[in-house]
Amino acid sequence: MNINFSRYDTLTTLLAGTIAALTIVISQPAIAKTPQEVASIAGPLTVQINSSLGDGSGVIIAKTGKTYTVLTVNHVVEKADVKYTVRTSKGKNYQATSVTRLQTADTDPDLAVVKFESPEEYPVATIADSDQAVIGTQIYVYGYPATGGLFGAEREPELSPGLVTSRPGNRPEGYTLRYQAVTWSGMSGGPVFDSEGRVIGLHGQGEFGFAQTSSGEVAPIKTGFNAAVPINTFIAKLVAAGINKSELKVDNTPPTSGPVSTANPQDAQAYYFRGLSLLDQGDAWDAIDDFNRALAFKPKYTPELFFNIGNARTLITAAFPEIGPTRGSNAIQAYTRAIEANPGFADAYYNRALAYLDNKDQPKAIADFQKAAELYKQGGRTSAYQDALNRIKQLQ
């Protein structure tokens, strides 16, 4: 069994140092930056990339004279006949003077470089070694989500914290930095920062997932996992991007805070995170065990625990349909517990609807898709809202 992820706006594609004074040195314990400090670093570096086709994000990585270089993901700027606008943190809009698409084949990483000219002064991002972002590493995704009815230039920036859940060796389009974090449409191309406020990746996938069965069928679910193209993948493409490494600000020192340890869990958080990591790597059985151990501590994030138990059971039955009815009542019960703990849990309604469908209970599936659509609309999740509506139309 494997779990894959699609982009936000392409659901149809898925479904088909030290301070010294004289000789006196005062050393203090190294402390990772707070989320507020990371956000203050991220804000001036991160830009909007807008066009008639949709909204995305990007990050300033170099400057030569008045020319700024922005790194983003290719699917934000993939159409050559479309004009793209860069909107900076100062509210200034600039036409892109050039777009270099590094993805020329399906096997290439989903990356692109956009340039714009401005007399204004903007900082350049510091890049770190993305190989240091191991499982359990703290990350922050920053970008301009299209939520709450705001689109294009109206969008406001958002910082979303998360933890790295897996580092697969190979994934389509180079998305080998995977994490659990809340992200939204419009954040594609936004930078992923480490705990020091250094860029280690470009966010670009999330929200929708599916289990691939042995028969080749696709069982779609919403997972909460997201993925980025690691910055080291971009470094390997500098020649194609027409950039010299000397133009970049690079700091490869290890982060001050180490990854969350799950070697010997002692509390709900450790069990929960280990369960997430196991689930992201496809080990659904052991993930359920860890989620149940986390539940025994009665943590505040009970809805998420039940939701992920439902996802794990869904993946198990999708991979091994012979063990019982597809998706089965266990997945339905888990999603129901998630909804009881959080009546506004849209993804739990959506996934439960899919489970009802597989149990041939069409009326309950339609009711859940309708509730999910209502909640998606309230939350500004445009793609998910439209998806739920489309499913209702198909069933009526």
Side-chain angles (χ1 to χ4, degrees):
M1 175 177 61
N2 58 68
I3 307 170
N4 294 313
F5 292 78
S6 76
R7 298 167 182 162
Y8 281 102
D9 302 315
T10 55
L11 177 61
T12 52
T13 303
L14 166 65
L15 297 180
T18 299
I19 299 175
L22 299 176
T23 58
I24 302 175
V25 177
I26 303 175
S27 61
Q28 298 181 356
I31 302 176
K33 288 181 170 55
T34 66
Q36 292 81 4
E37 289 171 329
V38 174
S40 67
I41 293 172
L45 304 169
T46 308
V47 300
Q48 297 181 25
I49 299 178
N50 301 319
S51 74
S52 59
L53 295 181
D55 308 321
S57 302
V59 60
I60 300 173
I61 60 165
K63 178 191 177 184
T64 302
K66 297 181 180 180
T67 301
Y68 289 90
T69 300
V70 173
L71 180 62
T72 186
V73 291
N74 185 67
H75 73 263
V76 167
V77 294
E78 60 185 341
K79 300 296 183 180
D81 56 347
V82 172
K83 292 184 178 181
Y84 298 96
T85 302
V86 176
R87 183 176 178 84
T88 67
S89 59
K90 295 182 180 180
K92 304 285 186 176
N93 293 298
Y94 303 95
Q95 289 292 326
T97 56
S98 69
V99 177
T100 302
R101 299 171 179 87
L102 303 180
Q103 186 179 36
T104 58
D106 291 342
T107 55
D108 292 332
D110 185 18
L111 292 171
V113 170
V114 177
K115 293 189 177 184
F116 72 95
E117 293 186 359
S118 170
E120 300 278 346
E121 288 293 326
Y122 296 100
V124 173
T126 298
I127 292 170
D129 179 7
S130 55
D131 286 345
Q132 295 179 9
V134 298
I135 293 174
T137 299
Q138 173 76 64
I139 58 92
Y140 298 91
V141 185
Y142 196 86
Y144 286 84
T147 58
L150 301 179
F151 300 95
E154 297 177 327
R155 295 179 294 151
E156 296 291 337
E158 185 169 318
L159 180 80
S160 181
L163 292 171
V164 176
T165 54
S166 72
R167 291 302 310 269
N170 185 37
R171 285 283 180 172
E173 300 183 290
Y175 283 99
T176 59
L177 175 58
R178 295 162 65 84
Y179 39 87
Q180 174 107 151
V182 177
T183 60
W184 309 92
S185 176
M187 295 179 76
S188 285
V192 178
F193 294 92
D194 67 4
S195 58
E196 310 302 314
R198 304 174 299 188
V199 176
I200 55 172
L202 275 294
H203 170 75
Q205 287 187 346
E207 188 172 6
F208 296 104
F210 66 94
Q212 185 76 44
T213 68
S214 57
S215 62
E217 296 178 354
V218 171
I221 62 172
K222 296 183 185 295
T223 65
F225 291 113
N226 298 270
V229 180
I231 201 67
N232 287 9
T233 301
F234 168 67
I235 297 299
K237 292 281 186 177
L238 287 181
V239 174
I243 298 174
N244 293 320
K245 194 170 183 179
S246 60
E247 298 179 50
L248 307 176
K249 289 176 62 177
V250 180
D251 177 8
N252 288 334
T253 57
T256 54
S257 62
V260 173
S261 175
T262 58
N264 185 26
Q266 299 294 323
D267 54 25
Q269 181 183 25
Y271 276 118
Y272 178 48
F273 175 69
R274 191 172 73 174
L276 288 174
S277 183
L278 289 166
L279 181 57
D280 191 24
Q281 297 173 69
D283 192 346
W285 292 107
D286 287 341
I288 291 174
D289 288 341
D290 274 352
F291 291 146
N292 284 326
R293 291 189 179 98
L295 281 170
F297 289 87
K298 298 181 180 181
K300 294 181 179 180
Y301 40 89
T302 298
E304 291 80 6
L305 279 162
F306 281 120
F307 176 73
N308 281 291
I309 290 173
N311 288 347
R313 294 196 180 282
T314 292
L315 297 173
I316 289 170
T317 52
F320 307 103
E322 68 278 3
I323 68 174
T326 304
R327 300 268 172 92
S329 60
N330 284 333
I332 292 174
Q333 290 170 358
Y335 292 134
T336 300
R337 295 290 298 273
I339 292 167
E340 290 172 347
N342 178 9
F345 205 151
D347 286 349
Y349 280 105
Y350 184 97
N351 285 1
R352 191 175 69 174
L354 293 170
Y356 279 136
L357 267 187
D358 285 342
N359 280 357
K360 313 301 180 184
D361 194 337
Q362 187 167 310
K364 288 185 177 179
I366 292 175
D368 271 1
F369 280 133
Q370 289 173 334
K371 185 62 177 179
E374 174 189 327
L375 291 168
Y376 287 142
K377 185 177 182 180
Q378 292 174 2
R381 296 174 63 178
T382 307
S383 298
Y385 169 65
Q386 191 60 54
D387 172 40
L389 290 184
N390 290 340
R391 289 191 169 276
I392 294 170
K393 291 179 182 179
Q394 292 170 2
L395 294 172
Q396 290 177 331

